[in-house]
Amino acid sequence: IMNKNLTKWICFMGSAFILIFLFNACNKDDSPAAPINNAPIINSVTAQPDRLAYGETSNIVVNATDQDNDNLTYEWTCDNGNFTGATTSSTASWLAPYQQGSCYLDVKVKDGTATTTSGVNIQVMGLFFDEFSSDLAKWITSYSDAWISNSEVHIKGNTNGFYGTLYHALSSYVAPQYTLQITITNINTMEANEFYALYSKVNDSGSITIRYWMFAIEPNTSGENWALLCFVSGSGSSAWVLLASDSFGESSLIHTGINQVNELSYTIEPDKTVILKVGNQLLYQSDEILNIENTFGMQITMDLVRVGCRTFYQREVKMDDATVITPSQPLSAESINIESGSQPLIQEDDVKSPIPMINKSELITLREFLTRNSN
């Protein structure tokens, strides 16, 4: 009897297993598996330009594709600066901040399911910067010809009496501290005492007017290949002078050969200390302006209003990067605008004084100039 019951129980369990199997088989989902989604592919993110000045605009483009032909959406963000329009398409317009440095722009590309992220770095160079492309729209020539060749700007003096000048006029002044930089070389032979220079114009509202500064390179002057010159006017007189008796000399930091590039810079600090560099190396430093202020009881403000390069007449030089102006502190757009009632910018044309051959025995110093004109 027990064997019969065991047999019946085994048969019952087997039948139940078969029924459960058949039930599951009948209810199995035979629909195909959901397709695998492929994330969007970002092929490139470009910025044009990717080096620019304070307050200038760069156009940003992301090129993205999707293997599944999904509709793509976009989202732009940045760690500095501001977008000036929509940030939800494949293109964006970005406004540089008033602060030097590298800014990263991030873009997210979404297909509704997956997100791919990439970005681009943009360098904010300073208050003014121009990579030469096809025109010189930001530049003004004086007594010279200027043209662009192979992404380099060339300037050639074209008179027998005055400087050939290529300059950028600022829309507002910049008070010290600031640094001026330029990459420049000569491309033909210059005679002794002829020169080319990093040039700036200042809006000096002090008790004596200093209108211009030049960090001059003299390729073929024996025993001296650089000089710091300033143009001063006061008491009805005007003259090109040396900053001080030691503000010229011979240095291996200065390259004087044809097509040998010099990366020049000079800094005017808040206390009017002048620092000259070639590349990253110090060439000269002087606190003569502060000493003169203390000696003569005057003020020399040195607010920057114009910057560029100068060359001797009929002599050609070239730049492969334009001048960079770097204030020492971050600026706002408002801080560099001239407020009503402020000292106005100097508006007259370049002073039409004959170009001086830099003969140090004939040029007096700024201190000597002030002494002569105060007596």
Side-chain angles (χ1 to χ4, degrees):
I1 294 175
M2 291 183 61
N3 289 337
K4 288 181 179 181
N5 289 336
L6 179 60
T7 302
K8 290 180 180 180
W9 184 82
I10 292 173
C11 291
F12 172 77
M13 292 301 296
S15 300
F17 177 79
I18 293 171
L19 289 173
I20 293 173
F21 174 80
L22 292 174
F23 177 81
N24 288 336
C26 290
N27 286 277
K28 183 179 180 181
D29 186 1
D30 292 325
S31 60
I36 297 174
N37 179 68
N38 294 291
I41 298 172
I42 295 180
N43 302 304
S44 64
V45 184
T46 57
Q48 184 60 40
D50 60 4
R51 295 196 296 168
L52 71 175
Y54 295 172
E56 291 187 333
T57 299
S58 180
N59 296 313
I60 320 300
V61 179
V62 56
N63 178 281
T65 55
D66 189 87
Q67 298 180 46
D68 309 318
N69 294 320
D70 293 329
N71 290 328
L72 300 179
T73 60
Y74 306 87
E75 180 184 344
W76 292 93
T77 56
C78 57
D79 62 2
N80 206 344
N82 295 286
F83 292 101
T84 59
T87 57
T88 55
S89 69
S90 61
T91 62
S93 181
W94 178 79
L95 186 68
Y98 285 79
Q99 183 174 353
Q100 188 182 32
S102 178
C103 297
Y104 186 75
L105 278 61
D106 179 280
V107 61
K108 294 179 180 178
V109 182
K110 305 176 182 180
D111 66 359
T113 302
T115 300
T116 303
T117 302
S118 188
V120 63
N121 278 302
I122 300 179
Q123 296 295 323
V124 182
M125 304 299 294
L127 184 59
F128 173 73
F129 177 78
D130 189 19
E131 280 195 297
F132 298 111
S133 53
S134 60
D135 62 61
L136 291 169
K138 298 179 181 179
W139 296 84
I140 300 170
T141 57
S142 177
Y143 306 111
S144 63
D145 297 316
W147 65 96
I148 294 172
S149 177
N150 298 321
S151 298
E152 297 172 327
V153 66
H154 294 245
I155 171 176
K156 185 174 183 179
N158 59 14
T159 71
N160 289 326
F162 308 110
Y163 297 95
T165 306
L166 181 70
Y167 66 89
H168 171 76
L170 303 177
S171 60
S172 57
Y173 63 74
V174 179
Q177 179 176 351
Y178 53 79
T179 297
L180 310 181
Q181 296 171 262
I182 197 169
T183 301
I184 191 171
T185 183
N186 64 311
I187 66 170
N188 47 219
T189 301
M190 293 189 177
E191 302 299 328
N193 298 317
E194 296 180 347
F195 63 89
Y196 59 97
L198 168 56
Y199 149 86
S200 67
K201 185 175 183 178
V202 293
N203 182 38
D204 180 18
S205 59
S207 47
I208 185 168
T209 298
I210 299 179
R211 291 183 176 175
Y212 304 96
W213 287 87
M214 290 195 298
F215 181 174
I217 293 179
E218 312 165 71
N220 286 297
T221 299
S222 177
E224 53 195 53
N225 57 20
W226 69 276
L228 182 63
L229 306 175
C230 55
F231 183 88
V232 296
S233 61
S235 304
S237 302
S238 61
W240 282 100
V241 303
L242 292 165
L243 172 62
S245 58
D246 62 345
S247 61
F248 71 94
E250 174 79 21
S251 173
S252 60
L253 299 177
I254 300 290
H255 304 298
T256 57
I258 294 173
N259 286 320
Q260 289 188 327
V261 171
N262 282 291
E263 297 180 358
L264 310 178
S265 71
Y266 65 79
T267 298
I268 309 297
E269 296 193 331
D271 65 356
K272 320 298 167 45
T273 297
V274 179
I275 301 173
L276 304 183
K277 289 186 177 181
V278 182
N280 293 321
Q281 298 190 61
L282 179 67
L283 176 67
Y284 176 74
Q285 181 169 328
S286 173
D287 57 0
E288 178 65 1
I289 297 178
L290 179 60
N291 293 335
I292 286 174
E293 288 182 324
N294 293 334
T295 299
F296 291 90
M298 61 173 53
Q299 182 184 32
I300 303 173
T301 56
M302 295 298 293
D303 293 333
L304 179 68
V305 297
R306 183 185 296 179
V307 64
C309 70
R310 281 189 162 175
T311 185
F312 217 78
Y313 59 81
Q314 302 302 329
R315 303 304 184 196
E316 184 178 341
V317 298
K318 66 180 181 181
M319 295 184 290
D320 61 3
D321 270 340
T323 304
V324 178
I325 305 171
T326 310
S328 61
Q329 300 295 329
L331 301 175
S332 67
E334 292 76 20
S335 71
I336 63 169
N337 290 330
I338 299 176
E339 298 177 359
S340 176
S342 298
Q343 179 73 16
L345 295 178
I346 299 173
Q347 297 293 340
E348 77 274 6
D349 293 333
D350 281 334
V351 177
K352 295 182 178 179
S353 57
I355 192 166
M357 306 291 269
I358 309 182
N359 188 328
K360 305 311 178 304
S361 63
E362 297 177 1
L363 285 180
I364 62 175
T365 66
L366 178 57
R367 183 180 291 269
E368 290 170 328
F369 175 88
L370 294 173
T371 300
R372 291 183 186 183
N373 284 274
S374 62
N375 293 332

